[in-house]
Amino acid sequence: MLSYYFQGLTLGAAMILPLGPQNAFVMNQGIRRQYHLMVALLCALSDLVLICAGIFGGSALLSHSSWLLMLVTWGGVGFLLWYGWGALRAAMRRDINLLQTGVMKQGRLRIIISMLAVTWLNPHVYLDTFVVLGSLGGQLEMAPKRWFAIGTISASFLWFFSLALLAAWLAPKLCTVPAQRMINAAVGIIMIVIALRLAHDAARHLMPLFA
């Protein structure tokens, strides 16, 4: 069964390593050293729920409902555009020091809400966990399926905690104004590019429905 565990671990790592909304949020909280371990834990627990839902039956829901998939995708496109634009505005502000001070004063509840939005309003999460992992893990027998899911979940926990701790360790070098401008600009561009790609794919899938 260890082979199924390592298959899940490898696939989970390959899917979670590219920079996306979750990784950017965890990294930023690590740089600020503000509830970064809590954020890493909540991201990993959210992935646990989504992975289990996708592998143990949730994939059928999206695969049999094109309208639900479109709803999730376009909702995510709107959120990613808003998130990316906010990051770009932060990068271009002259009073970035004041902005950093305001961000540092964010309360725990606001950070939790932001993390949940970044995770659950990101359509890539559903495509990865429900479509990709669900289609692969859902075909296995129950015992191998469990080990496959545990491997994927392990990749999520290991990555998010490693990212949060590494960002906190590098915080003194990454908290400078030039570094913050570069990070915010990179995050904003990446979020907008992801949103535009999702919108392009969604529009292409919508065309046959109205043909």
Side-chain angles (χ1 to χ4, degrees):
M1 292 298 173
L2 283 179
S3 62
Y4 293 104
Y5 172 83
F6 285 110
Q7 286 178 22
L9 184 70
T10 304
L11 182 59
M15 294 173 63
I16 202 172
L17 284 178
L19 183 61
Q22 270 187 313
N23 289 340
F25 191 80
V26 173
M27 182 180 67
N28 281 334
Q29 291 306 127
I31 292 171
R32 294 163 186 153
R33 295 179 177 175
Q34 189 181 32
Y35 302 118
H36 53 293
L37 294 180
M38 178 196 71
V39 169
L41 176 61
L42 291 176
C43 283
L45 289 176
S46 294
D47 273 10
L48 185 153
V49 173
L50 290 164
I51 289 168
C52 289
I55 293 177
F56 294 100
S59 59
L61 183 63
L62 284 183
S63 61
H64 289 88
S65 178
S66 57
W67 287 105
L68 179 59
L69 181 58
M70 285 295 104
L71 180 63
V72 170
T73 300
W74 285 108
V77 168
F79 171 75
L80 291 175
L81 287 174
W82 172 81
Y83 191 94
W85 174 241
L88 288 179
R89 286 182 61 191
M92 294 184 292
R93 286 185 60 154
R94 293 183 178 180
D95 53 343
I96 192 169
N97 285 324
L98 296 177
L99 180 66
Q100 287 176 307
T101 302
V103 171
M104 288 295 291
K105 293 180 180 179
Q106 286 184 353
R108 181 181 299 182
L109 179 60
R110 183 174 178 180
I111 292 173
I112 291 174
I113 293 173
S114 298
M115 187 283 306
L116 292 175
V118 164
T119 300
W120 293 88
L121 292 180
N122 176 19
H124 263 307
V125 171
Y126 298 97
L127 295 174
D128 289 346
T129 56
F130 280 46
V131 178
V132 178
L133 292 179
S135 62
L136 294 175
Q139 301 175 2
L140 302 173
E141 298 294 329
M142 184 54 65
K145 186 184 296 185
R146 290 173 181 168
W147 282 99
F148 181 83
I150 292 172
T152 311
I153 292 166
S154 298
S156 180
F157 273 82
L158 288 171
W159 171 249
F160 283 125
F161 277 98
S162 298
L163 181 61
L165 291 171
L166 180 62
W169 181 58
L170 294 174
K173 295 182 179 180
L174 298 178
C175 276
T176 62
V177 171
Q180 284 294 299
R181 289 193 188 278
M182 291 179 62
I183 291 171
N184 282 322
V187 169
I189 292 171
I190 289 169
M191 296 304 101
I192 291 175
V193 169
I194 292 174
L196 294 177
R197 286 181 179 177
L198 283 171
H200 177 266
D201 292 340
R204 189 173 57 185
H205 285 94
L206 272 178
M207 290 178 64
L209 297 177
F210 297 98

